[in-house]
Amino acid sequence: MSEPALVALQGASYAYEDGPAVLAGLDFEIREGRALALLGRNGSGKTTLMRLLSGGLRPDEGRLTVEGQPVTYDRKGLTRLRTTVQLVVQDPDDQLFAASVEQDVSFGPLNLGLPDTEVRARVAEALAALDITALADRPTHLLSYGQRKRTAIAGAVAMRPRVLILDEPTAGLDPEGQERLLVTLDELREAGTTVVMATHDVDLALRWADDAALLTPSGVRTGPAPVALARTDLLREAGLRLPWGAATADLLRAHGLLSESAPGPRTPDELAALVAGPLGASGG
């Protein structure tokens, strides 16, 4: 018998007051150690799903479980959930409120009632993980947008969650800022944090994720990212385009330059390696 998912929604439905159901009968799992990209058009329910997973919303029907155990929505149950799952929203200004970076990052651990020494250790660890130790005393209103993003993520990391859910974490960042953040996320994963990223960027999802979950009107479809993001039927239903890497692989296979079983490129560097390697040899 397989291990239960680290976090799962089972038969979950949710509707906002006086509105239609946003999600209905949804089954969704987060598997430990797998980088998961969550994709879907605007209005598909991504934000609602993330809030259900983090305890910000409670399903009208169905249940949320952590390692197979149902979550209770009393103080004890929600504390347990929030030390397991942390959500970082898209706009850091919706999350930051303290006067300085250090104060903001310490808020969550302080609310857990931890000893001062433990709080200080967690804050130092989170600031180092996000490469913002030098900003500890900086007023939050003087931070750049990228620095505010990192501070918001550090506040979640200081809770030492097993699952970190990020809503459009690269939105608004310049290319260098995006690359730095992706390196940071890889380091968090290597340290044992399971990362879930909601994004509209199918190219980023193909490059970064192990698995992709596509929210469609008929439900959520989850699978290995290279497979799920090559399915034009699912992408069309989800209102998404084909990633360039998948389109390139299709073109190479159509011209007999890539076998059906060979993986396609997920990054420009992988395409360059293909051209310099087997493709270059076949062309010669």
Side-chain angles (χ1 to χ4, degrees):
M1 187 174 178
S2 63
E3 288 287 319
L6 179 51
V7 180
L9 282 166
Q10 300 168 345
S13 299
Y14 188 82
Y16 293 96
E17 188 175 357
D18 299 326
V22 179
L23 301 171
L26 184 80
D27 293 324
F28 186 85
E29 294 184 343
I30 298 174
R31 290 280 167 183
E32 191 159 24
R34 302 286 291 176
L36 176 63
L38 176 62
L39 303 107
R41 58 163 58 90
N42 286 338
S44 62
K46 292 195 304 298
T47 298
T48 300
L49 174 55
M50 288 185 287
R51 288 178 176 169
L52 288 170
L53 290 166
S54 61
L57 298 174
R58 181 175 182 170
D60 298 328
E61 297 177 6
R63 65 178 187 170
L64 176 66
T65 64
V66 173
E67 293 185 304
Q69 298 299 310
V71 169
T72 58
Y73 290 83
D74 54 15
R75 183 178 178 85
K76 181 179 178 181
L78 288 174
T79 297
R80 173 175 175 253
L81 176 62
R82 287 166 186 163
T83 55
T84 305
V85 182
Q86 280 286 304
L87 168 64
V88 180
V89 299
Q90 179 175 346
D91 187 347
D93 294 330
D94 290 339
Q95 200 152 334
L96 304 179
F97 61 90
S100 72
V101 169
E102 186 173 42
Q103 289 173 359
D104 209 283
V105 175
S106 69
F107 179 79
L110 283 170
N111 265 9
L112 292 178
L114 299 173
D116 288 347
T117 52
E118 174 70 7
V119 171
R120 285 195 293 272
R122 289 192 179 210
V123 170
E125 177 184 275
L127 293 176
L130 274 297
D131 194 25
I132 53 173
T133 300
L135 301 177
D137 297 326
R138 182 78 60 86
T140 51
H141 71 276
L142 294 181
L143 299 174
S144 70
Y145 186 77
Q147 290 168 341
R148 297 200 301 277
K149 280 251 187 185
R150 286 179 170 268
T151 300
I153 296 172
V157 168
M159 296 290 283
R160 291 184 182 165
R162 296 173 67 184
V163 178
L164 181 63
I165 302 175
L166 305 168
D167 186 6
E168 298 284 352
T170 60
L173 298 180
D174 61 26
E176 181 183 359
Q178 291 185 24
E179 292 301 319
R180 288 182 62 204
L181 181 57
L182 292 176
V183 169
T184 297
L185 296 183
D186 286 342
E187 291 170 348
L188 290 172
R189 289 184 59 206
E190 289 170 7
T193 304
T194 297
V195 181
V196 178
M197 179 194 296
T199 180
H200 287 94
D201 189 337
V202 290
D203 297 323
L204 172 62
L206 179 62
R207 166 190 172 182
W208 173 82
D210 298 319
D211 300 317
L214 280 68
L215 276 174
T216 74
S218 61
V220 65
R221 303 288 181 266
T222 304
V227 176
L229 294 174
R231 287 192 51 183
T232 54
D233 57 334
L234 287 184
L235 291 165
R236 190 179 305 113
E237 192 180 0
L240 301 167
R241 64 171 177 82
L242 191 67
W244 78 264
T248 300
D250 287 347
L251 182 63
L252 294 174
R253 291 186 181 110
H255 286 80
L257 297 172
L258 189 67
S259 71
E260 289 296 327
S261 60
R266 298 172 71 163
T267 66
D269 287 344
E270 288 183 8
L271 177 59
L274 272 175
V275 171
L279 295 188
S282 66

